[in-house]
Amino acid sequence: MIIADLVIRSGKVVSSDSVIAASVAIKDGLVIAVGDDSAMPQATETLDARGLHVLPGAIDVHVHFRDPGYPHKEDFASGTAAAAFGGVTTVFDMPNTIPPTGTPDALAAKHRIAAEKAHVDFGLYGLLGEDTIEHVPEMAKSVIGFKLYMGNTFGKIPTPSTGGMLEAFEVVAPTGKRVSLHAETNSIMERRETRMRQAGRIDPLAHIASRPAVVAVEAVSRAATLAEWTGARIHILHISSAEELRPLREAKARGVEITGETCPHYVLLSIEDYARFAGVIRVNPPVREARNQQPIWNALADGTIDVIATDHAPHSPEEKTRNDIWTVDCGFPGVETQMPLMLTEVNAGRFNISDYVRWSAANPAKIWGLYPRKGVIAPGAEADIAIVDLIREWTIDDAKLQSLSKITPFHRRRVKGMPIHTLVRGRFVMKDRTLLPGTRGWGRPVHAIQNLPAPHLRNIDQTMKMIVRVGETVRPRESVA
Ligand code: NCD
Ligand code: ZN
């Protein structure tokens, strides 16, 4: 007779297409049964989930945990504790650390740090820049995907030329890994920022004036062209404008392997909030005019945008409150507030809770090859679960955040919906709003469970043959350059 480790009893179990009243049995970290409570096996432990919703833990594909490099902003322990409080059971960490995660050594070092400190599961991005192309084949073995910065942002990562980007896509495409793009075109922003500074502008709105939506439109269009040419899979991070939806839609319609993401701040905040939050709201891409919000919501609803992530980007209060906007560090924490903010919209009737699970868990798992092991509560899946009280009303208080960075533009916002318990592979890491001792180091890397088929390679063969012919003993990027 099977004895489960845990049965979560009589909650409402949510998937991307249904909500059912059911119990969930867990053994050895896996879900072994979902169904009527009377059908559950005996269990060592039970949790009464009556009145609560049982969701697949969110997979936040865009966080900056600053480790190694900026221990005063965040590290893997504080960042993943914040994730656990936010109902987030897997995070994908960005490479703009010190050193950047752009070599096999830096990647191995970050893997060691994360394995030692993480409370939740993690994937690591490898940095894709002109200087790191040669490392792609080796890094591909232990990254969840690659990150390419088309525009400058925190950490001063150099922006590759279009030629460098094409070559980078050519080299990544055969690995099947996805390239996540910070899609803002640097040369446009640089010129405009220079003009603003020359004119003496140092106010918060100068930031948005230097990054009009055309920077994203141009970048998304160009990235889609290169992805179409090479067959590389790409993901457009943090979509902030109505305008960039057009090139994204068009690329999807042509069959480009492209996906999109937005973040809570682009649909819940607007230019009106700059007066109140000043530098705190400075983020790349910028929070824009309110007219962008509804088109982005619509794009989520119609599948143009696939994913909600957070761009969790912690900085210290001092770094966020400087007077000269150009000296304020960009970004703010979000991994902990995303789920309550979105559940508030569920409660307001903007979309249903299955839609939310599709954007926060199921789609991320599918896009990065983790589904159905993650992203769903079903027999055989890993028991990554957020148990939420959907009707609990509370006020976000920066001072109470787990993140080391206790400064966000969501401070004092009323929300309805709270993660009460978070399980990662069957183990409570957060229970009754308390981080459980002994869970540091419980997080495991997820790249190993990817099982993506090789992508359809379009013009790669031809280019690769050319590379081989030009320099038999030379590495690809040198032979092409
Ligand atoms: C991010 C950061 O601080 O690392 N900042 C931001 O404004 N989004 C970098 C990034 O994601 O572009
Ligand atoms: Zn980011």
Side-chain angles (χ1 to χ4, degrees):
M1 189 181 62
I2 292 174
I3 302 197
D5 299 327
L6 172 70
V7 171
I8 301 167
R9 301 191 59 184
S10 305
K12 295 197 183 79
V13 179
V14 185
S15 74
S16 55
D17 49 22
S18 67
V19 182
I20 56 166
S23 296
V24 179
I26 295 163
K27 188 174 172 63
D28 298 331
L30 301 180
V31 173
I32 57 166
V34 180
D36 195 82
D37 196 55
S38 63
M40 290 296 113
Q42 283 189 358
T44 319
E45 187 185 354
T46 60
L47 181 88
D48 182 359
R50 273 175 301 176
L52 302 177
H53 283 74
V54 182
L55 276 58
I59 299 174
D60 189 338
V61 306
H62 189 167
V63 305
H64 300 263
F65 284 168
R66 312 295 190 206
D67 200 352
Y70 306 93
H72 70 290
K73 293 181 196 271
E74 197 80 287
D75 74 0
F76 251 94
S78 59
T80 55
F85 273 69
V88 175
T89 51
T90 303
V91 292
F92 296 174
D93 185 62
M94 287 293 172
N96 57 335
T97 41
I98 309 176
T101 322
T103 63
D105 283 352
L107 180 60
K110 191 183 270 192
H111 266 295
R112 284 194 294 273
I113 291 168
E116 185 204 322
K117 299 184 189 174
H119 295 274
V120 306
D121 285 353
F122 57 87
L124 304 181
Y125 281 105
L127 178 68
L128 191 57
E130 295 200 18
D131 298 338
T132 71
I133 295 175
E134 60 188 305
H135 299 305
V136 163
E138 187 57 28
M139 287 198 293
K141 296 175 191 164
S142 53
V143 294
I144 189 68
F146 289 93
K147 167 76 177 276
L148 189 149
Y149 287 91
M150 298 177 76
N152 216 333
T153 179
F154 179 74
K156 304 235 174 341
I157 305 283
T159 304
S161 67
T162 303
M165 212 170 130
L166 176 64
E167 202 178 297
F169 282 13
E170 287 171 335
V171 175
V172 172
T175 71
K177 297 283 173 175
R178 191 167 292 264
V179 181
S180 291
L181 296 158
H182 185 116
E184 290 190 294
T185 296
N186 212 43
S187 58
I188 304 177
M189 303 188 293
E190 259 175 10
R191 291 188 72 91
R192 292 182 71 109
E193 180 177 328
T194 303
R195 297 283 184 220
M196 296 280 151
R197 284 173 182 262
Q198 282 166 348
R201 292 280 302 271
I202 58 164
D203 58 295
L205 288 174
H207 176 62
I208 173 167
S210 72
R211 306 173 97 103
V214 68
V215 304
V217 176
E218 200 281 336
V220 172
S221 310
R222 183 155 45 100
T225 300
L226 303 183
E228 184 169 28
W229 184 261
T230 56
R233 297 184 157 108
I234 61 171
H235 175 71
I236 306 297
L237 299 160
H238 42 42
I239 288 168
S240 64
S241 73
E243 286 84 356
E244 74 205 87
L245 296 169
R246 180 183 54 77
L248 175 58
R249 281 201 176 97
E250 288 173 358
K252 283 193 164 190
R254 313 198 288 276
V256 179
E257 287 245 26
I258 187 170
T259 51
E261 157 195 310
T262 194
C263 313
H265 41 280
Y266 299 117
V267 281
L268 299 176
L269 301 174
S270 75
I271 204 162
E272 323 290 331
D273 296 296
Y274 280 65
R276 192 163 135 226
F277 289 107
V280 175
I281 205 171
R282 185 182 192 209
V283 61
N284 299 325
V287 167
R288 300 187 183 280
E289 300 81 0
R291 67 170 175 79
N292 293 281
Q293 294 174 347
Q294 192 56 48
I296 296 176
W297 285 123
N298 295 347
L300 278 162
D302 72 19
T304 303
I305 297 178
D306 306 85
V307 169
I308 290 178
T310 69
D311 194 4
H312 176 89
H315 300 286
S316 73
E318 187 276 320
E319 292 158 343
K320 291 302 293 175
T321 55
R322 294 169 185 152
N323 274 334
D324 177 347
I325 196 64
W326 307 114
T327 65
V328 171
D329 282 349
C330 295
F332 42 80
V335 74
E336 198 168 344
T337 47
Q338 177 271 114
M339 189 176 286
L341 289 166
M342 289 299 136
L343 293 179
T344 305
E345 299 302 308
V346 169
N347 276 305
R350 191 185 286 281
F351 45 84
N352 67 45
I353 196 163
S354 287
D355 294 327
Y356 170 67
V357 162
R358 190 166 72 250
W359 304 325
S360 64
N363 281 353
K366 287 175 183 171
I367 291 166
W368 278 270
L370 308 180
Y371 195 88
R373 194 148 155 194
K374 292 188 181 292
V376 63
I377 298 173
E382 294 184 338
D384 293 346
I385 295 176
I387 301 175
V388 307
D389 184 345
L390 194 57
I391 57 176
R392 172 85 156 266
E393 293 188 56
W394 57 292
T395 303
I396 292 172
D397 177 355
D398 284 353
K400 294 193 178 141
L401 295 175
Q402 298 294 311
S403 174
L404 296 187
S405 165
K406 299 185 194 314
I407 185 158
T408 83
F410 296 115
H411 186 48
R412 300 232 176 100
R413 205 176 170 100
R414 275 305 274 178
V415 286
K416 187 172 181 183
M418 179 189 257
I420 306 290
H421 317 292
T422 301
L423 293 112
V424 175
R425 284 173 286 103
R427 179 166 176 184
F428 286 100
V429 293
M430 189 273 281
K431 194 172 187 190
D432 293 316
R433 301 296 292 165
T434 307
L435 191 69
L436 288 202
T439 57
R440 182 185 157 116
W442 176 245
R444 284 284 162 268
V446 294
H447 62 272
I449 66 178
Q450 257 187 326
N451 183 24
L452 288 173
H456 172 65
L457 301 179
R458 293 191 174 83
N459 296 296
I460 290 281
D461 284 356
Q462 196 188 336
T463 318
M464 285 302 191
K465 274 185 211 130
M466 187 265 294
I467 289 169
V468 171
R469 199 183 60 242
V470 173
E472 284 143 357
T473 58
V474 189
R475 283 187 300 244
R477 78 173 294 268
E478 290 161 1
S479 61
V480 169

